[in-house]
Amino acid sequence: MTYYVSPFTFDFAASKIDVDVGSEDVDCILFYSAIKAAQASREGILYDVIARGSGLSVLGPGVQVGLTVQLLGSWQLRYPIGNYRARVAGGNLIGGPIGGPIAYSAGVNNLLIQSAASTVVNPDGTMPTLEQIVAAILAAAAANPIHADIRRVNAVTVDGAGTEADPFGPV
């Protein structure tokens, strides 16, 4: 049995939530709203609960605690096969088999944007859009990249310059 809430198709028999082709960005708040609609549907009430959510408590004008969506049992989000980057933002998505909330799809690079202390704040009192959140995170990552020194990884001494002509290697 399946149930459709744009852009998601809930496959109750397989415990998969398929994302429509062309929908590369998933917002956790909209995703959880779709899950609640699917759970309350004629099909959904015949099956175990898909997920539970917590958060979104209002802290003041334009400020909310972030949403955490926990997929229960073997439920997973699944993107169509392709060659693209898929993003989940606007809250935390957890759960799924062995802690994997997103099912493998060939060619898809999944970007799961999580926060330990998720708070949604906008100075003008409105909630930011998914595009604004993703743009802010990517800008911060570009401005402050994490630098790793391969020579210190696992306390193993390596040599080489890390180039094609002189690759890193153990001493």
Side-chain angles (χ1 to χ4, degrees):
M1 293 185 118
T2 63
Y3 180 79
Y4 182 76
V5 178
S6 181
F8 308 106
T9 300
F10 293 82
D11 183 342
F12 292 98
S15 296
K16 296 291 185 269
I17 304 162
D18 293 314
V19 181
D20 285 351
V21 172
S23 296
E24 297 171 4
D25 292 328
V26 169
D27 175 79
C28 277
I29 295 170
L30 298 175
F31 181 48
Y32 190 52
S33 293
I35 289 171
K36 290 188 292 184
Q39 288 177 163
S41 71
R42 185 176 301 176
E43 298 85 356
I45 62 173
L46 300 174
Y47 292 87
D48 290 336
V49 176
I50 299 168
R52 66 174 158 241
S54 61
L56 294 183
S57 300
V58 176
L59 301 177
V63 182
Q64 288 181 299
V65 174
L67 173 66
T68 296
V69 177
Q70 179 183 11
L71 295 175
L72 303 174
S74 60
W75 280 96
Q76 287 184 302
L77 184 66
R78 181 171 55 192
Y79 286 92
I81 294 170
N83 188 19
Y84 59 95
R85 176 180 292 153
R87 290 175 289 270
V88 177
N92 296 320
L93 180 61
I94 61 174
I98 314 171
I102 302 176
Y104 172 76
S105 294
V108 179
N109 178 4
N110 293 308
L111 178 59
L112 188 57
I113 301 170
Q114 306 277 43
S115 173
S118 176
T119 305
V120 182
V121 179
N122 201 339
D124 66 1
T126 63
M127 300 304 297
T129 65
L130 174 62
E131 291 77 19
Q132 290 170 325
I133 294 168
V134 170
I137 291 169
L138 293 176
N144 299 301
I146 298 171
H147 298 284
D149 186 346
I150 189 66
R151 295 168 292 187
R152 297 176 189 223
V153 173
N154 296 329
V156 174
T157 305
V158 296
D159 65 357
T163 65
E164 237 180 88
D166 188 16
F168 286 125
V171 174

